[in-house]
Amino acid sequence: MNVLFSKAPFHFLIYFFLILMGCSVKDDITPDIITPLPTKSLKSASTSFSVGLSTSTPKLDLLSYTQIIEREFESITAEYQMKMNVILPVKGTYNWSKADQIVNYAVSKGLKVHGHALVWHESTPDWLLNYQGTDVQFEQEVKDYITAVVSRYKGKVASWDVVNEGVSDSAGSLRNTVFKQRMGDDYMVKCFQFAHDADPDSKLFYNDYNLETNQAKQNKVFELIEDWKLRKVPIHGIGFQMHISYLTPKDQIQTATNKAVASGLLLFYSELDIRANPNKDISTFTLERSEAQRLKFKEVVQIYNAIPISNKFGITVWGLKDDDSWLLKHHNNFNEWPLLFDANFNAKQAYTGFLEGLN
Ligand code: XIL
């Protein structure tokens, strides 16, 4: 006790000295690529659309994490806990706990929630994938599910991705999912209608990836949208996931964005991340790559910010910190730094780029 007590002032002096020198005790990354948080937050700099973040529980229990959410973002999307295999893993047994936690957190903090995603082939629970009933019963299950979810969060979740990734990567055709097989080629139209019937005020989106770079896919999606508009299908917006890289050509992003604007729908950059190492040619995050990533974030945000206000909905980044990114898990890509914050919660140059794009 005595020893400890006698050393305390000494420790305090060292700590004070470190603070004076501008050192952080927990720092273990290259200081050059860290940007201290500027006085303006992303959400305060963005005056015409919502800046959002994908998130999940139990991250929402961490103060270091929620402080940044509440300072920087106006909207959240559940990264995976509002998908069908989480909410309805077993036929007839809804599990709302995670989705409720996310929505309740958002409501308590005055954040918007974008609902993601009602129908997605990758998050279809096994019981529905291997459904033994008739096609009519299958469709009823889907209808019941969409109705239950959208109704539960009516007034709290103001927008939904109704169908995620319904178009295939090749040949510009519909993706051959169990929904297409069981409910027919018009299954997306039916799903939009189910969602609209459950909450007529909800903004309903079609969401997909590589819409800026895959021409055949882009054509097919806009062809569907034109058809749906003629048929008065209740669709209000298109989501470009925007899982891109620092090498994604600007003109492709611009062209796809122009098409969305011309469609008259809301445009959402719904899952933005920008890979700094798409060709796996670096093993540490270099200054040069950090700069290239900053410029790409700036470019993307500028392109979005320049669209007419009537098409604006938001930009959501897919994860807060580099080490949280789905890309590390899903593409086995351990050397990747695709987000706005580093593993120690420090804002990166990527953050600065986003902010610059808003100015
Ligand atoms: C990913 C999540 O990031 C992962 O945590 C989850 O395990 C699988 O799904 N396109 C989408 C998102 O629409 O739902 C995906 O999210 C990433 C690709």
Side-chain angles (χ1 to χ4, degrees), residues 79-80 83 116 120 164-165 241 271 318 326 329-330:
E79 186 170 347
Y80 59 91
K83 290 172 181 168
H116 174 78
W120 184 32
N164 195 29
E165 304 181 355
Q241 292 184 6
E271 305 180 12
W318 209 243
W326 72 295
K329 289 171 275 171
H330 287 260

Side-chain angles (χ1 to χ4, degrees), residues 163-189:
V163 180
N164 195 29
E165 304 181 355
V167 171
S168 86
D169 289 323
S170 55
S173 51
L174 293 186
R175 190 184 289 278
N176 190 19
T177 66
V178 68
F179 302 96
K180 174 181 176 312
Q181 290 159 14
R182 294 300 209 121
M183 294 165 64
D185 281 2
D186 243 359
Y187 81 91
M188 297 203 242
V189 171

Side-chain angles (χ1 to χ4, degrees), residues 194-350:
F194 299 152
H196 181 70
D197 291 345
D199 181 2
D201 295 327
S202 184
K203 299 279 181 236
L204 305 180
F205 284 75
Y206 175 80
N207 193 52
D208 215 328
Y209 64 91
N210 283 359
L211 292 181
E212 51 299 324
T213 48
N214 182 333
Q215 198 60 51
K217 193 170 181 180
Q218 182 192 98
N219 291 343
K220 180 67 183 175
V221 167
F222 283 105
E223 189 186 296
L224 285 170
I225 284 175
E226 286 313 307
D227 175 53
W228 294 342
K229 276 165 50 192
L230 283 175
R231 294 164 61 194
K232 305 256 183 293
V233 175
I235 175 172
H236 310 99
I238 175 158
F240 290 3
Q241 292 184 6
M242 297 288 283
H243 296 295
I244 64 171
S245 90
Y246 79 102
L247 293 171
T248 305
K250 178 181 182 183
D251 62 321
Q252 293 188 356
I253 303 171
Q254 186 69 65
T255 304
T257 298
N258 293 348
K259 271 190 158 182
V261 167
S263 77
L265 295 185
L266 295 168
L267 173 62
F268 185 21
Y269 287 175
S270 55
E271 305 180 12
L272 178 63
D273 47 34
I274 301 185
R275 274 165 286 144
N277 194 15
N279 297 326
K280 299 193 167 62
D281 59 343
I282 50 173
S283 53
T284 55
F285 190 41
T286 62
L287 279 179
E288 174 263 337
R289 209 50 70 78
S290 154
E291 176 64 2
Q293 189 186 49
R294 174 180 74 82
L295 291 173
K296 192 54 79 174
F297 267 104
K298 179 176 176 183
E299 180 182 292
V300 164
V301 175
Q302 277 177 334
I303 290 174
Y304 189 85
N305 208 11
I307 70 174
I309 189 132
S310 55
N311 297 99
K312 280 184 178 172
F313 184 77
I315 301 182
T316 284
V317 284
W318 209 243
L320 184 68
K321 305 192 282 97
D322 284 340
D323 59 331
D324 291 337
S325 171
W326 72 295
L327 293 166
L328 306 191
K329 289 171 275 171
H330 287 260
H331 293 293
N332 223 8
N333 193 348
F334 290 98
N335 290 323
E336 191 46 89
W337 305 269
L339 297 171
L340 301 181
F341 289 81
D342 71 21
N344 292 330
F345 294 97
N346 293 304
K348 295 162 56 193
Q349 287 296 330

